[in-house]
Amino acid sequence: QVQLVESGGGVVQPGRSLRLSCVASGFTFSNYVIHWVRQAPGKGLEWVAVIYPDGSGKYSADSVKGRFTISRDDSKNTLFLHMNSLRAEDTAMYYCAREYGDYGKDYWGQGTLVTVSS
Amino acid sequence: QSLLAQPPSASGTPGQRVTISCSGSSSNIGSNYVYWYQQLPGTAPKLLIYRNDQRPSGVPDRFSGSKSGTSASLTISGLRSEDEADYYCEAWDDSLKGVFGGGTKVTVL
């Protein structure tokens, strides 16, 4: 069955870096568009970034542009989010989600919590 | 920073119909599909509606979606206690970014 498992979250000081991972299984990872979506405590969903198959296209939200980089290693069925210059407002649960074309984000991971605090 | 506008809350008694609106612009809802997600407390979002008005397998038919111009709506017909959750609309924006609504908390009275 399709599974997405995020990891790498934790408590980090402002200005530091963190790398999140999302390991996929149960489908041909290399064929799919994958997104990062985050949710601050008690707040709504916020789209963060997307990467297309073969890394052919990468786009990110204005709020993270220049600080966060999305990448993928298809040989390891793994998606990454490299987060630099972290700010308090980046504190959130970070989800990876598979996009099945026009069928939407049909599978989501359980999320990994990032807390930016001194 | 939500670019799609949703009412923060909606409510109804069991069996009632509840409709949630989602308003965007020509660059997102006006030119791309709308999706709806349900998020139960403490869980990841779940796809509820895709391509404006299509239900994935397993989603009860009391959930329906529609779109007109730059607005969309989600209707829950025959509200049930297990429908108490947060609901989010989403669309792709032509500026090459994803956009979500701020979310609507549905309460079953």
Side-chain angles (χ1 to χ4, degrees), chain B residues 42-81:
Chain B
T43 68
K46 169 192 168 185
L47 180 65
L48 206 60
I49 297 288
Y50 66 94
R51 286 185 185 173
N52 305 329
D53 57 9
Q54 301 297 303
R55 281 187 311 276
S57 173
V59 172
D61 60 7
R62 64 178 182 275
F63 292 95
S64 62
S66 66
K67 171 184 149 177
S68 178
T70 59
S71 295
S73 63
L74 173 72
T75 297
I76 310 173
S77 303
L79 192 65
R80 301 180 64 156
S81 58

Side-chain angles (χ1 to χ4, degrees), chain A residues 51-72:
Chain A
I51 188 166
Y52 286 78
D54 294 328
S56 56
K58 303 177 186 180
Y59 305 104
S60 59
D62 292 343
S63 58
V64 306
K65 201 160 292 185
R67 300 188 300 122
F68 291 11
T69 301
I70 189 171
S71 65
R72 64 193 298 163

